Amino acid sequence: GANFLMADFGAAAEAAIGDENKPFVMALWRSAARELLDGVGWADSHIAMRAFAGGATLQVSAPTDALYAATDLVEASWAATNAKLAGEAFDVAATAQDLRAKITAELSPKEVALAQAALDHGVTYLGHDDKISLGLGVGSKVFDTADLPSPDDVEWAALRDIPVAMVTGTNGKSTTVRLTAAIGAAAGNCVGLSSSDWVRVGGEILDEGDYSGPAGARLAVRDPRVDLAIIETARGGLMRRGLPVPTADVCLLTNIAADHLGTYGIMDVAALADAKFQLSKAVRAGGRLVLNADDPELVARSPQFDGDITWFGLNFDQATLDVWVANGGRAAFVADGVMMLAREGAVLPVLAVNDFVPALGGAAEFNVYNALGAICLADALGLPVSAMAEGLAGFTDSPDENPGRGNYIEVGGLTLLIDFAHNPHGMKALAPAVKSFAAERTLVIAGQAGDRSDQDTCDLMQALWSFEPDMVVVAELPHLLRGRPVGQLSEVMVNELMRLGSHKDAIIQTDTEFSAVVKSFEWARPGDFLALLVHEDRPQTMELIEKLQQANWQAGEPLPT
């Protein structure tokens, strides 16, 4: 689907190419792709290329019902390129003939006709899996691809779309989505929500797992009970599959910070911002784009969007904000301890920061940002201010309501923080909240996935050091090594902690994340604060905490078996 390389359907591949030969190799690759496109009869297909450090990406546009064949074509173009570089023969005619057979086998005229008819009738079409759907939520109809109707047999008058919001960014996506869903529920809507932990409709969880990509979006917007959809849209899905739904009433970008660099040809923050800003292309005519006014990457790209923008932030220049509001601009901000919404020249109080539990009285500033973003989304969706206040005030940030995002739990004389923080920006944002708790000692669990560089890992340890920890538990993440040898990242983390001033006796190393949690409880004494920053072993961690609570365990006692 549409992505930041091109707005068309197509197929893309990345290749490792030495930087010294890159222009020549890219030219050969483009030429090979063009020859194959012409050979299969796709003379009108476009080619987009993008260079990055160590390689390049090539994408070709292709018919919507021939995308698997298009991936084969792209791979064949790379094979042809390598053959030319090696001075070997490559049979373009035979390859094109094989590709034409694959294209013919894949074609689905009924699906193409339904997609066009949906466009003509002004309803959303979603395909490219074992089902297709026409319309969204309560206005949708889902069909198996093996039993598609003809467009003339569809009751188009019964189909319609529902309001949709999409959220992307580096940090805060899941919480912002869930806060907006709480506001929608307070307004009386049946909200379909997809996120990195589950897909939920109303109060029912349809499935658990990382559903922040297209699969989660489709599960949410195809449910016939849903009259409002809030979709978390992660970087990976955007890069692999493009936009999860073609249009939305409002799209929000939380922030842009270094994370997941080095994958999908995204090597720096500027490229990451470009990739995420493609969400702005999904905003329908008359819809709104919501941007963090305190993020320089988003501010810099805002002129690229020619529609209406709502801004949220905590560091507005007051004179600039006054002019924006006086001219009818929309914005969410904090004034005198109250979260405010400005629209159409009026400034409306929504909720005091102190009445928003996840803000910790303002110490958890990142959650104030998330709430302001949710207010902007709710405003763009036409939800009343009273629902904004009710939804935010009732959001407790408990493990059931917002798992792994700023969950504070008291057990055995300890204060626990369960959080998913996994990049320097998120870690630094947590530090003021952690230090707002009076604690005898502070422990932090540190873990890192193998697709981060050594420098990224050192940056994470530097951010963690701002917690001023008395103990750091360095955890291996064996299921997230992603090509790294066991122990390599732990060594990087320990060395950086020692460089920052830690002592060997203030570092515990474990072979799994859950064993790090166990070691943390064994180390703890009453009055301590444990920041359990867990990624893959959160369910086991929550089960252990529940067992400790049921056993009336106190810190310093042996753990129950």
Side-chain angles (χ1 to χ4, degrees), residues 404-419:
R405 272 74 179 178
N407 308 143
Y408 295 91
I409 302 171
E410 301 286 338
V411 59
L414 305 173
T415 300
L416 312 179
L417 165 64
I418 315 297
D419 199 88

Side-chain angles (χ1 to χ4, degrees), residues 106-229:
E106 191 180 342
L107 292 177
S108 177
K110 269 191 177 180
E111 197 168 342
V112 173
L114 284 169
Q116 183 59 51
L119 182 65
D120 295 340
H121 285 87
V123 296
T124 296
Y125 166 87
L126 295 176
H128 303 110
D129 49 26
D130 58 352
K131 300 180 184 297
I132 70 107
S133 56
L134 306 171
L136 300 174
V138 294
S140 68
K141 181 73 173 177
V142 182
F143 303 92
D144 290 328
T145 52
D147 187 27
L148 294 178
S150 68
D152 292 341
D153 293 331
V154 174
E155 190 180 352
W156 294 102
L159 303 178
R160 63 180 178 87
D161 287 346
I162 60 170
V164 174
M166 290 196 289
V167 178
T168 195
T170 301
N171 301 107
K173 297 183 295 296
S174 295
T175 300
T176 301
V177 163
R178 291 165 186 163
L179 289 171
T180 310
I183 294 171
N189 293 98
C190 180
V191 180
L193 175 159
S194 66
S195 70
S196 55
D197 289 288
W198 58 45
V199 176
R200 193 181 73 204
V201 171
E204 178 188 353
I205 295 176
L206 302 187
D207 202 0
E208 295 190 48
D210 187 350
Y211 276 109
S212 57
R218 293 178 183 206
L219 193 55
V221 301
R222 284 174 171 169
D223 192 290
R225 296 168 291 177
V226 171
D227 58 18
L228 175 65

Side-chain angles (χ1 to χ4, degrees), residues 131-457:
K131 300 180 184 297
I132 70 107
S133 56
L134 306 171
L136 300 174
V138 294
S140 68
K141 181 73 173 177
V142 182
F143 303 92
D144 290 328
T145 52
D147 187 27
L148 294 178
S150 68
D152 292 341
D153 293 331
V154 174
E155 190 180 352
W156 294 102
L159 303 178
R160 63 180 178 87
D161 287 346
I162 60 170
V164 174
M166 290 196 289
V167 178
T168 195
T170 301
N171 301 107
K173 297 183 295 296
S174 295
T175 300
T176 301
V177 163
R178 291 165 186 163
L179 289 171
T180 310
I183 294 171
N189 293 98
C190 180
V191 180
L193 175 159
S194 66
S195 70
S196 55
D197 289 288
W198 58 45
V199 176
R200 193 181 73 204
V201 171
E204 178 188 353
I205 295 176
L206 302 187
D207 202 0
E208 295 190 48
D210 187 350
Y211 276 109
S212 57
R218 293 178 183 206
L219 193 55
V221 301
R222 284 174 171 169
D223 192 290
R225 296 168 291 177
V226 171
D227 58 18
L228 175 65
I230 317 292
I231 305 301
E232 180 177 344
T233 310
R235 167 207 55 90
L238 283 171
M239 297 303 298
R240 289 192 301 269
R241 295 284 300 276
L243 295 170
V245 294
T247 60
D249 297 81
V250 55
C251 292
L252 179 147
L253 283 81
T254 60
N255 71 312
I256 305 294
D259 195 19
H260 298 287
L261 299 181
T263 58
Y264 304 113
I266 303 301
M267 313 305 288
D268 53 39
V269 171
L272 182 64
D274 290 337
K276 289 180 180 290
F277 203 78
Q278 69 173 292
L279 206 67
S280 64
K281 299 176 183 177
V283 179
R284 65 165 179 79
R288 301 194 73 84
L289 180 64
V290 179
L291 298 177
N292 184 342
D294 297 335
D295 188 289
E297 296 289 347
L298 297 177
V299 172
R301 284 160 181 76
S302 62
Q304 299 175 18
F305 183 71
D306 59 5
D308 293 325
I309 295 177
T310 300
W311 296 97
F312 68 98
L314 295 175
N315 300 303
F316 283 103
D317 173 77
Q318 191 60 50
T320 303
L321 179 61
D322 289 345
V323 171
W324 178 257
V325 172
N327 283 276
R330 280 172 151 81
F333 53 93
V334 173
D336 298 324
V338 177
M339 291 184 281
M340 314 291 286
L341 171 65
R343 64 183 183 194
E344 298 172 350
V347 179
L348 309 172
V350 178
L351 186 71
V353 171
N354 285 338
D355 293 332
F356 178 52
V357 173
L360 299 178
E365 192 175 78
F366 57 93
N367 270 332
V368 180
Y369 274 102
N370 294 335
L372 292 174
I375 289 169
C376 294
L377 285 176
D379 175 56
L381 293 167
L383 304 179
V385 172
S386 59
M388 300 176 198
E390 180 181 345
L392 295 177
F395 196 90
T396 61
D397 222 6
S398 68
D400 291 333
E401 196 168 23
N402 197 24
R405 272 74 179 178
N407 308 143
Y408 295 91
I409 302 171
E410 301 286 338
V411 59
L414 305 173
T415 300
L416 312 179
L417 165 64
I418 315 297
D419 199 88
F420 185 67
H422 63 286
N423 57 54
H425 186 277
M427 196 81 78
K428 287 178 182 177
L430 270 181
V434 170
K435 291 194 286 188
S436 71
F437 288 84
E440 295 293 331
R441 302 178 300 172
T442 298
L443 174 148
V444 185
I445 290 179
Q448 180 73 300
D451 58 353
R452 270 52 165 213
S453 69
D454 287 0
Q455 185 57 55
D456 291 338
T457 304

